[in-house]
Amino acid sequence: EDQVTQSPEALRLQEGESSSLNCSYTVSGLRGLFWYRQDPGKGPEFLFTLYSAGEEKEKERLKATLTKKESFLHITAPKPEDSATYLCAVGGNFNKFYFGSGTKLNVKP
Amino acid sequence: DGGITQSPKYLFRKEGQNVTLSCEQNLNHDAMYWYRQDPGQGLRLIYYSQIVNDFQKGDIAEGYSVSREKKESFPLTVTSAQKNPTAFYLCASSIDRNFGAFFGQGTRLTVV
């Protein structure tokens, strides 16, 4: 069964306290792994695309990495404005996308 | 600017009514999608369309209907058969599964 699992469900950090979010997947016909940021009441905003194991992408304080079975979103020295829900998705068969339930990140000043 | 426009942002429906949510994109994407998001939950796929005049049911299609008469437009109708329609609805489009999906800003539907 095609499935994407994100952990933890929620994460509270102090400003400057680095951490990582996990996305594990079991999807046949994988065609890319995607990270999104979603603010309350808004649509998800596209962050990164990863295609192959070993690939890394960076944007400001965020770095996404990919292995054969999971991806990590590393947050270095986070700021309160990084508080949001981070969603992971994979592209599978029939042009479908499979989403995880997200990690809600709260960064305290 | 290219993007996806959903309207309205907020929608109130009386029980027993059908309502239609609008989704328009000017990204020239072939594929379009409708997702439902409930509090604390991930996105669940309602319907998707890979080309004009073609669409497929997703995981939770019961009580919903769609049409895809134009490449740019993919409206979603929430029918009275949908027993629990209160949710946040998101429309997305994509070139294909290799390039990720881009989302609109959502419509929040509330049954009153």
Side-chain angles (χ1 to χ4, degrees), chain A residues 86-107:
Chain A
Y86 291 85
L87 297 169
C88 168
V90 297
N93 290 327
F94 310 112
N95 256 0
K96 292 174 70 172
F97 296 96
Y98 299 89
F99 282 84
S101 298
T103 293
K104 186 174 183 179
L105 175 65
N106 186 7
V107 182

Side-chain angles (χ1 to χ4, degrees), chain A residues 6-41:
Chain A
Q6 291 187 247
S7 63
E9 290 184 10
L11 182 61
R12 299 179 69 175
L13 300 173
Q14 287 296 128
E15 184 173 2
E17 179 186 3
S18 301
S19 188
S20 297
L21 283 55
N22 177 262
C23 171
S24 61
Y25 58 89
T26 53
V27 174
S28 57
L30 179 70
R31 290 292 184 269
L33 185 140
F34 313 100
W35 282 98
Y36 294 86
R37 169 189 170 129
Q38 186 177 24
D39 292 299

Side-chain angles (χ1 to χ4, degrees), chain A residues 28-29 31-32 34 36 38 41-46 49 51 87 90-102, chain B residues 9 31 33 35 37 40-43 45 48 50 59 88 90 94-105 108:
Chain A
S28 57
R31 290 292 184 269
F34 313 100
Y36 294 86
Q38 186 177 24
K42 296 192 174 183
E45 176 188 343
F46 186 75
T49 304
Y51 290 111
L87 297 169
V90 297
N93 290 327
F94 310 112
N95 256 0
K96 292 174 70 172
F97 296 96
Y98 299 89
F99 282 84
S101 298
Chain B
K9 187 172 183 179
Y33 309 82
Y35 292 91
Q37 189 174 37
Q41 297 192 28
L43 279 63
L45 182 63
Y48 65 107
Q50 298 187 58
D59 301 318
F88 190 50
L90 288 160
S94 175
I95 297 174
D96 67 31
R97 60 185 174 172
N98 295 313
F99 295 97
F102 291 86
F103 286 84
Q105 288 302 298
R108 185 166 299 281

